[in-house]
């Protein structure tokens, strides 16, 4: 009888753990979410950096990643936390640019407040900026 009770208790615990992991995900899911949160933070920081750089130029927006900004440290260590690849900088118009990354977790599962400023399209997330009409200030797209 005690052996049957032990087996029943183990079965209940196993089912509970299995259900819990399917609802909230397991440790692997948590690691992917943490990497995505880091990606979002990196994109925001790089967007700020490029805004600083491009505010000091008069030629408009460059097709390639800009050179270091006076008074700011270039965050060259900002790379994808899983692959180590550089984030993608793209000139989107004469007055705009974006910095993008591929995210691991489906976007509805990530808390939106942690992704503030990151425009999501499927698994790609981008920080997009464009210069206002007067050319002095920037705004997020």
């Amino acid at each position: 009888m005690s052996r049957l009770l032990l087996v029943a208790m183990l079965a209940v615990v196993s089912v509970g753990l299995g259900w819990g992991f399917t609802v909230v995900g397991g440790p692997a899911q948590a690691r992917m979410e943490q990497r995505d949160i880091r990606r979002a933070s990196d994109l925001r920081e790089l967007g700020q950096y490029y805004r600083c750089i491009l505010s000091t130029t008069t030629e408009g927006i460059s097709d390639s990643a800009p050179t270091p900004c006076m008074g700011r440290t270039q965050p060259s260590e900002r790379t994808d936390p899983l692959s180590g690849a550089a984030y993608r900088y793209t000139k989107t118009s004469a007055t705009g640019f974006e910095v993008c990354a591929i995210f691991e977790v489906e976007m509805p599962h990530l808390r939106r407040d942690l992704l503030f400023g990151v425009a999501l399209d499927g698994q790609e997330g981008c920080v997009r900026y464009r210069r206002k009409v007067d050319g002095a200030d920037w705004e997020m797209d």
Side-chain angles (χ1 to χ4, degrees):
M1 181 72 167
S2 65
R3 179 172 271 181
L4 184 59
L5 182 60
L6 177 63
V7 169
M9 287 175 40
L10 286 174
V12 168
V13 168
S14 297
V15 168
L17 284 172
W19 179 78
F21 283 145
T22 47
V23 170
V24 295
Q29 177 78 14
R31 284 190 291 275
M32 289 190 301
E33 289 174 359
Q34 287 302 311
R35 286 190 296 262
D36 281 348
I37 291 166
R38 167 134 177 249
R39 284 181 186 97
S41 175
D42 288 351
L43 292 181
R44 285 190 299 271
E45 186 172 321
L46 286 167
Q48 294 287 339
Y49 173 75
Y50 291 138
R51 279 180 37 201
C52 174
I53 285 290
L54 297 171
S55 293
T56 63
T57 66
T58 56
E59 304 95 39
I61 293 181
S62 170
D63 287 324
S64 60
T67 55
C69 183
M70 300 299 282
R72 288 189 69 148
T73 304
Q74 182 175 9
S76 59
E77 73 279 358
R78 299 293 178 211
T79 59
D80 186 89
L82 183 62
S83 68
Y87 295 113
R88 182 174 52 87
Y89 165 89
T90 307
K91 177 182 174 180
T92 56
S93 70
T95 60
F97 70 92
E98 66 183 10
V99 184
C100 300
I102 302 297
F103 287 73
E104 294 177 75
V105 178
E106 289 185 36
M107 293 309 141
H109 294 101
L110 287 175
R111 289 180 31 207
R112 295 289 178 177
D113 60 323
L114 297 174
L115 298 176
F116 171 75
V118 179
L120 305 170
D121 183 19
Q123 288 202 268
E124 183 177 61
C126 299
V127 173
R128 296 182 178 109
Y129 285 98
R130 63 184 156 90
R131 273 199 170 139
K132 291 184 178 179
V133 177
D134 64 8
D137 291 326
W138 293 88
E139 61 188 356
M140 289 184 115
D141 277 346

